[in-house]
């Protein structure tokens, strides 16, 4: 997962300037401020709404919306897997034709982007359908084996409204496939980010610290230690980053001098912030102290990243600033409130794990029986 904030360096050849060796005209201060302000706003939207939707997702019973729970083992392996993937992409771009690689990737992300965008806009679009709309329910089910050994591979439930959303998302997909326009790229990028924050759940705060800590090292190494991440980010023609042109004021929608933000800098802190929102709710105090604290910490960390990058004119590993802020601020608040133990003992079970489901049912039954006993007394 790409995770770096990159600066076009105001017209240097490294920024992907014209092939004839001419340099781009320097971006205006207004254009730079608009680009970075827009990137910051676009990063905040999927984190905020994805975190809210993660609460509903954790409570939901629809198999198609079940979250994927990340354990401490998954978190420890993730930086290694991400490093191998990143290095593999870098070597592919060095060995094979960039044109053919990006063609394959475009087709792959065309399909993924349509599905992600459809899932993102579905709750909003449902409000616009009239009550008389003929809505039918469908289920896509793939199983393996037979009898007692039958195992579900895919179990996806959807309705007619979802198909309408899929059709609208396909229009954006075709636009992206044909034009690679930066707005279409950002629509897919925002959808990927929101879905990631909504559907990827950390099982506890310790796992979040392991994941963020490991990716902190990963990000710093691959940005400062090598040119691998920046090279892949600029060669990879896929919606794995948000972009915004610094020359929008001069060239309008056809602008092409982009600042970029990797989706990893949104999703990774975002799933930790979403976890803290669910922890807030578990405290049953009708406050979202840790969510708002971590959200403010994210704004501070990303703002600091942009400031440092603008000063030094060099791509920055955003997690270098985001990880200490997103972990440090909530922990300091927990220390001040005396809730550190509660924070690190909070645990979420995997809804896809049969053992967890059984345990949850037993806990519910035990709670119900206690309630009956109290009434009898």
């Amino acid at each position: 997962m790409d995770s770096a904030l990159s600066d076009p360096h105001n017209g240097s050849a490294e920024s992907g300037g014209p092939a004839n060796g001419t340099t781009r005209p320097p971006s205006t201060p207004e254009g730079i401020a608009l680009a970075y302000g827009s990137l910051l706003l676009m990063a905040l939207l999927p984190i905020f709404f994805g975190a809210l939707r993660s609460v509903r997702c954790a409570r939901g019973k629809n198999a198609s919306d079940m979250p994927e729970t990340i354990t401490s083992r998954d978190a420890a392996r993730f930086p290694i897997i991400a490093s191998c993937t990143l290095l593999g992409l870098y070597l592919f771009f060095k060995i094979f034709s960039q044109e053919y690689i990006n063609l394959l990737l475009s087709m792959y992300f065309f399909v993924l982007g349509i599905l992600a965008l459809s899932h993102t806009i579905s709750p909003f679009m449902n409000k616009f359908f009239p009550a008389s709309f003929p809505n039918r329910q469908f289920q896509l089910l793939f199983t393996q084996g037979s009898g007692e050994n039958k195992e579900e591979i895919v179990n996806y439930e959807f309705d007619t409204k979802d198909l309408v959303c899929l059709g609208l998302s396909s229009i954006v997909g075709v636009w992206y496939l044909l034009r690679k326009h930066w707005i279409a790229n950002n629509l897919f990028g925002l959808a990927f980010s929101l879905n990631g924050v909504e559907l990827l759940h950390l099982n506890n705060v310790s796992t979040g610290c392991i994941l963020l800590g490991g990716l902190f090292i990963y990000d710093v190494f691959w940005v400062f230690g090598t040119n691998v991440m920046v090279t892949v980010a600029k060669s990879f023609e896929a919606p794995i980053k948000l972009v915004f042109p610094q020359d929008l004021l001069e060239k309008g929608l056809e602008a092409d001098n982009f600042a970029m933000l990797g989706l990893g800098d949104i999703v990774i802190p975002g799933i930790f912030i979403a976890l803290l929102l669910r922890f807030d709710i578990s405290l049953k105090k009708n406050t979202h102290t840790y969510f708002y604290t971590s959200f403010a910490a994210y704004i501070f960390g990303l703002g600091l990243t942009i400031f440092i990058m603008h000063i030094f004119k060099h791509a920055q590993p955003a997690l270098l600033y985001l990880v200490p802020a997103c972990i440090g601020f909530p922990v300091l608040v927990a220390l001040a409130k005396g809730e550190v133990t509660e924070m690190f003992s909070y645990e979420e079970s995997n809804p896809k794990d049969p053992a967890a489901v059984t345990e949850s049912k037993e806990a519910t039954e035990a709670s119900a029986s206690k309630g009956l006993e109290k009434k009898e007394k």
Side-chain angles (χ1 to χ4, degrees):
M1 179 177 289
D2 176 62
S3 180
L5 185 62
S6 182
D7 178 30
H9 302 288
N10 289 337
S12 67
E14 184 182 351
S15 68
N20 59 10
T22 60
T23 60
R24 300 179 189 275
S27 301
T28 62
E30 294 82 3
I32 294 172
L34 177 62
Y36 291 143
S38 299
L39 284 177
L40 177 59
L41 178 62
M42 286 192 291
L44 295 177
L45 291 175
I47 292 177
F48 185 83
F49 290 106
L52 295 178
R53 288 174 58 157
S54 77
V55 176
R56 186 199 64 185
C57 180
R59 295 171 176 171
K61 297 180 180 179
N62 190 343
S64 60
D65 289 332
M66 282 291 182
E68 189 71 35
T69 302
I70 300 174
T71 65
S72 57
R73 179 179 294 181
D74 298 328
R77 290 186 298 190
F78 192 84
I80 300 173
I81 296 172
S83 294
C84 293
T85 303
L86 183 67
L87 186 59
L89 286 171
Y90 177 79
L91 294 175
F92 261 90
F93 280 118
K94 290 293 184 182
I95 298 171
F96 301 103
S97 171
Q98 181 175 323
E99 179 183 354
Y100 294 116
I101 296 174
N102 280 319
L103 179 62
L104 291 174
L105 292 174
S106 294
M107 295 302 299
Y108 176 70
F109 281 98
F110 166 74
V111 176
L112 286 185
I114 289 175
L115 295 175
L117 187 58
S118 176
H119 182 264
T120 299
I121 66 174
S122 180
F124 303 105
M125 291 298 298
N126 286 341
K127 299 176 182 179
F128 296 98
F129 287 102
S132 58
F133 184 81
N135 193 35
R136 296 183 178 180
Q137 300 294 323
F138 302 94
Q139 184 179 23
L140 185 64
L141 180 63
F142 286 98
T143 61
Q144 177 179 295
S146 60
E148 296 180 355
N149 297 323
K150 183 179 291 186
E151 180 183 358
E152 287 187 3
I153 305 299
V154 176
N155 185 359
Y156 188 77
E157 299 175 4
F158 58 99
D159 54 29
T160 310
K161 294 178 181 178
D162 293 326
L163 292 177
V164 173
C165 293
L166 192 66
L168 294 174
S169 301
S170 299
I171 297 173
V172 178
V174 172
W175 182 27
Y176 169 77
L177 195 63
L178 297 178
R179 295 290 304 277
K180 293 293 189 303
H181 198 276
W182 61 272
I183 294 179
N185 173 91
N186 287 347
L187 288 174
F188 276 172
L190 289 169
F192 286 139
S193 299
L194 190 144
N195 278 276
V197 175
E198 176 188 359
L199 299 174
L200 292 176
H201 288 198
L202 296 163
N203 65 347
N204 55 49
V205 173
S206 297
T207 298
C209 292
I210 294 171
L211 179 65
L212 267 67
L215 290 175
F216 172 90
I217 298 171
Y218 157 89
D219 212 17
V220 172
F221 174 77
W222 288 112
V223 174
F224 283 153
T226 71
N227 68 337
V228 171
M229 184 176 289
V230 175
T231 301
V232 170
K234 291 180 177 179
S235 304
F236 204 81
E237 293 182 5
I240 59 165
K241 54 186 179 288
L242 298 180
V243 298
F244 201 91
Q246 294 190 358
D247 53 348
L248 180 68
L249 299 177
E250 291 79 25
K251 296 185 178 180
L253 296 180
E254 298 304 318
D256 58 359
N257 189 19
F258 297 105
M260 66 182 74
L261 176 66
L263 298 190
D265 297 328
I266 302 172
V267 176
I268 299 303
I271 61 177
F272 186 74
I273 294 171
L275 172 67
L276 293 179
L277 174 60
R278 298 192 296 275
F279 169 63
D280 273 323
I281 294 172
S282 74
L283 294 176
K284 298 179 180 179
K285 294 183 178 180
N286 294 323
T287 60
H288 296 156
T289 305
Y290 295 102
F291 171 66
Y292 289 128
T293 299
S294 57
F295 194 73
Y298 182 86
I299 296 174
F300 169 78
L302 191 57
L304 181 61
T305 307
I306 292 172
F307 175 76
I308 297 295
M309 185 186 65
H310 184 64
I311 294 298
F312 292 98
K313 306 297 182 186
H314 189 278
Q316 294 293 311
L319 294 182
L320 173 64
Y321 310 96
L322 289 172
V323 169
C326 291
I327 293 178
F329 283 30
V331 169
L332 288 176
V333 171
L335 284 170
K337 297 181 69 175
E339 294 178 342
V340 175
T341 303
E342 289 88 340
M343 174 184 281
F344 281 90
S345 61
Y346 173 69
E347 186 87 19
E348 289 187 353
S349 60
N350 184 355
K352 295 182 179 180
D353 184 1
V357 173
T358 303
E359 185 178 340
S360 176
K361 288 181 179 178
E362 290 176 352
T364 303
E365 292 171 359
S367 177
S369 63
K370 286 181 180 179
L372 290 173
E373 288 175 3
K374 287 182 180 179
K375 286 182 179 180
E376 290 174 358
K377 290 180 180 179

